[in-house]
């Protein structure tokens, strides 16, 4: 199948891109790495009127350390994150997740902004953003706003982004001394989307647990966080709380399977965090 008819715009500034995004009648969609959007267009799941290519805009990519953590431009590619010493040093969870995202060719083009905007329920980075308490920096012609990851992800392929908005960047709080973290995903074949996965982080002694590929989007599970406790010692009680986890079956397994895999992933991620 081929994409339906669309126009293509290649703005060279953010202002130009935002003006294109503001023209609702033209039905614009942002193009980042194209690793999800192009297949979606070819399957006609997405039918933009205008494709607004973000690839030639200066200032949308890059990794910098700030007072509040590590700020990453939306157009920063997975391969740039994987090569970054700052990410390796200050964001071990991001570094741990990256090799699990698809294959090298896709990681050379795919962007962090594209992953967060798409909010695929099986994607790794939305769960990492939730577990670390990241902040998304959104921009439109009306101005800018910061949205906590907790308020950004609304469900499967659903976020707090307005149609005219772009993600400009995301800030992850850097890991503090004594913070622990663990990442685990269960997958049939390396590089495939996960069957179930979880990210565990303690930030300033507060545990956060975010699952992916088990339900209707990346999601935290506060009962498991409470049961784990600041020292992550309550793993049996935490796994017991998964009886209430809001799971959804998919091609990889029914609800009971997903719940079981979520528990296995949680045990392994916590063991990694404690190691
Ligand atoms: P695009 O495909 O260009 O865009 C995706 C969506 O985000 C579009 O709706 C677009 O309009 C919107 N968008 C993009 N950037 C912005 C922005 N700055 N502001 C607002 N909206 C924006 N992903 C995983 O997480 N894990 C996997 O295991 C995985 N496996 C894959 C396997 C295959 C074979 C393929 C083809 C893809 C896989 N992916 C996987 C998806 C991949 O990570 C994509 O790169 C990612 O989901 C989208 O990033 P992108 O930069 O390519 O965005």
């Amino acid at each position: 199948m081929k994409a339906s008819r669309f126009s293509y715009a290649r703005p060279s500034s953010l202002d130009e891109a935002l003006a294109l995004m503001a023209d609702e009648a033209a039905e614009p969609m942002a193009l980042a790495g194209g690793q999800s959007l192009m297949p979606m267009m070819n399957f006609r799941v997405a039918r933009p009127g205008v494709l607004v290519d973000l690839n030639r805009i200066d200032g949308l990519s890059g990794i910098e350390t700030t007072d509040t953590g590590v700020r990453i431009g939306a157009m920063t590619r997975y391969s740039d994150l994987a090569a970054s010493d700052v990410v390796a040093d200050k964001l071990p969870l991001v570094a741990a997740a990256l090799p699990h995202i698809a294959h090298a060719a896709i990681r050379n083009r795919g962007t962090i902004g594209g992953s967060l905007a798409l909010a695929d329920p099986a994607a790794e980075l939305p769960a990492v953003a939730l577990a670390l308490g990241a902040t998304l920096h959104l921009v439109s012609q009306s101005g800018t706003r910061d949205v906590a990851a907790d308020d950004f992800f609304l469900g499967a392929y659903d976020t707090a982004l307005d149609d005219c908005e772009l993600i400009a960047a995301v800030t992850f709080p850097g890991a503090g001394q004594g913070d622990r973290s663990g990442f685990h995903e269960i997958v049939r074949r390396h590089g495939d989307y996960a069957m179930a996965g979880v990210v565990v982080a303690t930030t300033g002694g507060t545990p956060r647990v975010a699952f992916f590929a088990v339900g209707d989007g990346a999601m935290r599970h506060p009962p498991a966080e409470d049961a784990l406790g600041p020292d992550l010692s309550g793993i049996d009680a935490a796994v017991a709380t998964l009886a209430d986890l809001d799971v959804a079956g998919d091609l990889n397994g029914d609800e009971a399977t997903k719940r079981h895999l979520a528990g296995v992933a949680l045990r392994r991620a916590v063991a990694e965090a404690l190691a």
Side-chain angles (χ1 to χ4, degrees):
M1 207 151 158
K2 287 207 167 79
S4 54
R5 217 174 166 74
F6 64 93
S7 325
Y8 172 76
R10 199 171 67 188
S12 51
S13 72
L14 184 57
D15 284 348
E16 211 184 315
L18 294 177
L20 288 158
M21 293 301 294
D23 184 0
E24 210 177 311
E27 301 185 69
M29 277 186 89
L31 172 70
Q35 299 304 296
S36 295
L37 185 52
M38 300 313 291
M40 285 160 62
M41 286 172 63
N42 285 340
F43 283 116
R44 302 206 175 187
V45 177
R47 295 168 180 242
V50 187
L51 212 47
V52 180
D53 188 343
L54 307 181
N55 284 276
R56 300 291 173 95
I57 300 175
D58 284 341
L60 277 185
S61 61
I63 302 163
E64 59 173 329
T65 308
T66 70
D67 291 347
T68 51
V70 180
R71 182 183 167 107
I72 302 175
M75 286 299 292
T76 309
R77 304 195 193 271
Y78 302 131
S79 52
D80 296 327
L81 295 170
S84 161
D85 290 340
V86 175
V87 171
D89 182 38
K90 297 194 181 305
L91 301 178
L93 270 180
V94 174
L98 287 168
H100 298 275
I101 302 176
H103 308 282
I106 291 161
R107 294 196 293 270
N108 284 340
R109 292 298 299 169
T111 66
I112 188 166
S115 175
L116 300 175
L118 187 65
D120 188 311
E124 288 82 358
L125 291 184
V128 172
L130 277 177
L132 288 178
T135 301
L136 289 101
H137 309 292
L138 311 185
V139 59
S140 70
Q141 273 200 319
S142 316
T144 59
R145 65 184 179 120
D146 289 348
V147 179
D150 280 326
D151 301 321
F152 183 77
F153 299 106
L154 305 179
Y157 305 102
D158 191 13
T159 70
L161 262 180
D162 285 337
D163 286 346
C164 61
E165 272 182 322
L166 294 174
I167 300 175
V170 54
T171 295
F172 293 90
Q177 268 203 335
D179 286 350
R180 293 177 175 278
S181 60
F183 174 98
H184 193 81
E185 78 172 43
I186 296 166
V187 66
R188 284 184 204 277
R189 195 177 48 172
H190 187 84
D192 284 358
Y193 277 106
M195 299 171 73
V198 68
V199 189
V200 177
T202 60
T203 309
T206 307
R208 291 170 72 102
V209 173
F211 287 96
F212 59 97
V214 297
D216 196 18
M219 57 182 170
R220 285 177 65 192
H221 191 54
E225 296 172 354
D226 294 343
L228 274 175
D231 58 357
L232 303 181
S233 61
I235 183 63
D236 289 335
V239 171
T241 71
L242 302 186
D244 298 327
L245 186 66
D246 199 5
V247 293
D250 60 20
L251 287 175
N252 282 315
D254 60 14
E255 291 188 5
T257 305
K258 289 280 180 178
R259 205 179 299 285
H260 172 71
L261 294 178
V264 173
L266 182 59
R267 284 186 189 282
R268 293 177 183 173
V270 168
E272 183 186 302
L274 292 174

